[in-house]
Amino acid sequence: MSYEVFARKYRPQTFDDLVGQTHVSRTLKNAVEQNRLAHAYLFVGPRGTGKTSTARILAKALNCQKANAPTVTPCGECDNCREIAGGNSLDVLEIDGASNNGVEQVRELRDNVRYAPAKSRFKIYIIDEVHMLSSAAFNALLKTLEEPPPHVKFVFATTEPQKVLPTIVSRCQRFDLHRIAANLIAQQLLDIAKKENVTLTAAAAHAIARGAEGGLRDAESMLDQLVAFCGEKIDEPDVLSVFGLTSQITVAELTGTILRGETPVALELLHRECEAGKDMMKLISDLIVYLRDLLVFKVKPDALSDEVSPDLRAIFAEQAPTLETSRVLELIEQFAAAEGRMKWAPNKKLHFEVALIKAIQTLGQVTLDEVIENLSAMRDGKAAPAASATKPPMVDAPARKAATKEEPAVLKKPPTVAESPPVKTTPAAAVDANEIWQKALTQIKTRRPFIRSWVEEAHPLAVDGSTFELGFPPEQKMFVEHLSSRSNREFLESTLKEISGHDWAVKFSVKEGLPANAAATKATRANPPPLVREALEMFGGEIKEVR
């Protein structure tokens, strides 16, 4: 007997065998049980999701000889069931719409519809890739499709429903088959491997499922190919090597280097994957999907329970608090734009490198919303309360006026605890404030590196009830504006709460006599970035060039 590939050997034979299409199988089973059968069905979905298999199962349910048909549990053993499964039934005609797309073939079909089935209850026409029919062929089918003889059923399958005439769609019951979740595909592959006495690791199964992109048939074909390549034992490196894929852990590491602002490490990782022969288009696509999953996890952690492995969800839980939702959206948009450019570029690696560097630089910049929010408050001359829960605190009006004449700084050396001035509270409170702030600095540098240069110049001044006061020298007033944005202030308060176990309202102050880093003072007098300069000019702020 000739070899039978996995995609055919393990093709679904009953409604219960359909993977990831519960909404379709349940509806069809209820229709069969209640005898509420339509005369035409349209199955829509990506390749390999079970459109033709569902059509065959429906045909067996209607024409099974042993069971009291119509039945939701066809026997699979009678002549009708075996002929339908083999595709050679006289009463279940499977037609390829791509090669029989002319009006002549449809007219022949229309003439044959009137004849009764040879030995079954229904004559069923399954037209695959129905969108390939010409407009004339569709129009020739309209009247027959709307009022077919009672013994005739039509089942259409297509991957491109937008190409099917609306007049055809309106005469059918439409079922949309979805891409199958990766976890479901991986479980199906593990079951097949067990039946075939093949050792398939869970990591390898998930790697195949990701490469199949929601198509079970593609996943089964990939498994078939891997068995021929590896033999009886398949591990994740084998999958990555054969199909040029990148492991999710590597994509997670690449994302981590971006979030931490480690440009050299990110480029080195990219070069390593490129030299290993990985497809750059597939890698950037995987990176976008990873960021999308990270975004969904940040909004609703339990939404990915069927799509990603527990190990990956643990990585999401570690990375999600390090940046805001808006930042993740910016990264997705930037890499999506880079992916569009890479499709037509001969040197795809170059565009990927540029996208990585730009993404890391963007995370270190103040967003336009934060600049406009702060400058609007500066123009209005109103300061928000330091402990306000709905609006970030701002410095007093004289400090804001002076801040518009200063420029932002990028600091290189943080002040040590010894350089900080005495805290103006009780000695016990002073020690606690310094200790808490030093621990918080360690967390901030790791979780939000783009505000590192600002918080390193802060001095813990006082702890009064639930207020944690941070002071800055006059030369660094713009740092107060940056850190006073809502997202930064809430991040600082949550970090302090994690360290100390208490709720804090961060208060920012500008104090004379606080030590300032010399490099920071020099950088503060440099020209402001274009974004800040334009925003200042838009709101009527003053820009003072210091020679």
Side-chain angles (χ1 to χ4, degrees), residues 455-512:
V455 297
E456 284 179 337
E457 299 304 320
H459 301 272
L461 295 185
V463 176
D464 184 11
S466 61
T467 302
F468 197 102
E469 184 176 1
L470 295 175
F472 291 83
E475 304 90 63
Q476 298 165 357
K477 294 172 184 176
M478 279 300 289
F479 292 165
V480 175
E481 302 299 329
H482 298 327
L483 293 173
S484 296
S485 68
R486 180 178 303 173
S487 60
N488 288 335
R489 182 177 65 86
E490 292 177 351
F491 173 73
L492 292 176
E493 291 174 350
S494 63
T495 303
L496 290 172
K497 181 179 179 180
E498 292 178 8
I499 299 298
S500 62
H502 299 285
D503 292 322
W504 296 103
V506 177
K507 177 182 178 181
F508 301 101
S509 302
V510 178
K511 300 287 186 180
E512 296 285 349

Side-chain angles (χ1 to χ4, degrees), residues 304-325:
L304 299 175
S305 57
D306 291 336
E307 296 185 28
V308 299
S309 62
D311 293 339
L312 197 60
R313 289 200 297 272
I315 298 176
F316 287 156
E318 181 181 347
Q319 293 180 345
T322 61
L323 74 170
E324 300 297 328
T325 302

Side-chain angles (χ1 to χ4, degrees), residues 11-29 32 41-44 48-62 74 84 92 94 124 126 155-157 175-178:
R11 193 168 193 168
Q13 300 299 324
T14 64
F15 288 116
D16 294 333
D17 293 339
L18 291 173
V19 178
Q21 311 297 348
T22 308
H23 62 294
V24 176
S25 60
R26 179 179 178 181
T27 305
L28 292 177
K29 287 168 68 175
V32 172
Y41 294 92
L42 175 63
F43 295 146
V44 177
T49 53
K51 299 183 295 298
T52 307
S53 296
T54 304
R56 287 186 177 184
I57 294 170
L58 178 61
K60 289 193 292 185
L62 298 181
I84 293 172
V92 179
E94 294 191 27
I124 301 173
I126 300 175
V155 181
F156 302 142
F175 291 84
D176 287 83
L177 284 76
H178 305 154

Side-chain angles (χ1 to χ4, degrees), residues 118-412:
K119 59 176 181 179
S120 305
R121 294 176 179 83
F122 295 98
K123 178 178 285 189
I124 301 173
Y125 290 90
I126 300 175
I127 303 180
D128 198 10
E129 301 299 334
V130 70
H131 65 273
M132 297 296 290
L133 295 181
S134 63
S135 297
F138 274 130
N139 291 326
L141 188 62
L142 281 178
K143 190 61 178 177
T144 303
L145 183 62
E146 185 173 17
E147 298 178 357
H151 60 268
V152 173
K153 303 292 181 184
F154 288 98
V155 181
F156 302 142
T158 179
T159 56
E160 302 182 47
Q162 71 279 3
K163 294 184 179 180
V164 181
L165 290 183
T167 50
I168 295 290
V169 177
S170 65
R171 289 165 168 79
C172 304
Q173 282 192 9
R174 172 170 171 169
F175 291 84
D176 287 83
L177 284 76
H178 305 154
R179 292 188 182 275
I180 304 172
N183 281 358
L184 296 178
I185 294 178
Q187 185 58 50
Q188 183 72 7
L189 294 178
L190 291 172
D191 293 341
I192 293 175
K194 185 177 181 180
K195 295 176 182 177
E196 295 291 329
N197 295 321
V198 174
T199 303
L200 177 68
T201 63
H206 280 280
I208 297 173
R210 292 195 310 272
E213 297 180 346
L216 180 57
R217 183 180 62 210
D218 291 353
E220 292 171 342
S221 298
M222 293 169 68
L223 178 61
D224 213 343
Q225 183 176 346
L226 285 166
V227 172
F229 175 78
C230 304
E232 298 181 353
K233 186 175 182 180
I234 303 173
D235 206 345
E236 184 181 24
D238 301 320
V239 181
L240 304 179
S241 175
V242 171
F243 299 106
L245 305 176
T246 303
S247 68
Q248 282 191 309
I249 298 301
T250 302
V251 178
E253 290 177 0
L254 180 60
T255 305
T257 60
I258 295 173
L259 301 185
R260 293 189 298 270
E262 298 172 351
T263 306
V265 181
L267 291 178
E268 181 181 356
L269 195 154
L270 176 62
H271 293 168
R272 186 175 70 238
E273 292 299 303
C274 185
E275 292 173 358
K278 306 298 183 181
D279 184 1
M280 291 292 100
M281 288 297 300
K282 181 62 178 173
L283 179 56
I284 196 170
S285 176
D286 290 344
L287 179 58
I288 294 172
V289 171
Y290 183 91
L291 290 171
R292 171 262 176 193
D293 291 343
L294 179 61
L295 178 65
V296 173
F297 182 88
K298 189 173 180 64
V299 176
K300 188 178 180 182
D302 58 347
L304 299 175
S305 57
D306 291 336
E307 296 185 28
V308 299
S309 62
D311 293 339
L312 197 60
R313 289 200 297 272
I315 298 176
F316 287 156
E318 181 181 347
Q319 293 180 345
T322 61
L323 74 170
E324 300 297 328
T325 302
S326 58
R327 298 283 187 176
V328 185
L329 289 171
E330 289 177 8
L331 290 177
I332 293 175
E333 292 175 356
Q334 290 180 17
F335 285 116
E339 183 184 27
R341 295 191 298 269
M342 288 171 61
K343 288 181 180 179
W344 313 107
N347 190 349
K348 303 184 187 303
K349 177 183 173 184
L350 171 64
H351 289 272
F352 205 155
E353 291 172 336
V354 173
L356 275 179
I357 296 173
K358 184 178 180 181
I360 294 174
Q361 288 181 343
T362 302
L363 288 179
Q365 296 175 353
V366 183
T367 64
L368 181 59
D369 291 339
E370 293 174 349
V371 173
I372 293 177
E373 180 183 0
N374 292 336
L375 292 175
S376 297
M378 293 164 60
R379 186 183 183 187
D380 295 340
K382 298 179 180 180
S388 174
T390 59
K391 192 174 181 180
M394 308 293 289
V395 296
D396 52 62
R400 281 197 306 273
K401 183 176 180 181
T404 60
K405 300 181 181 181
E406 299 291 340
E407 287 74 24
V410 180
L411 307 183
K412 302 298 181 181

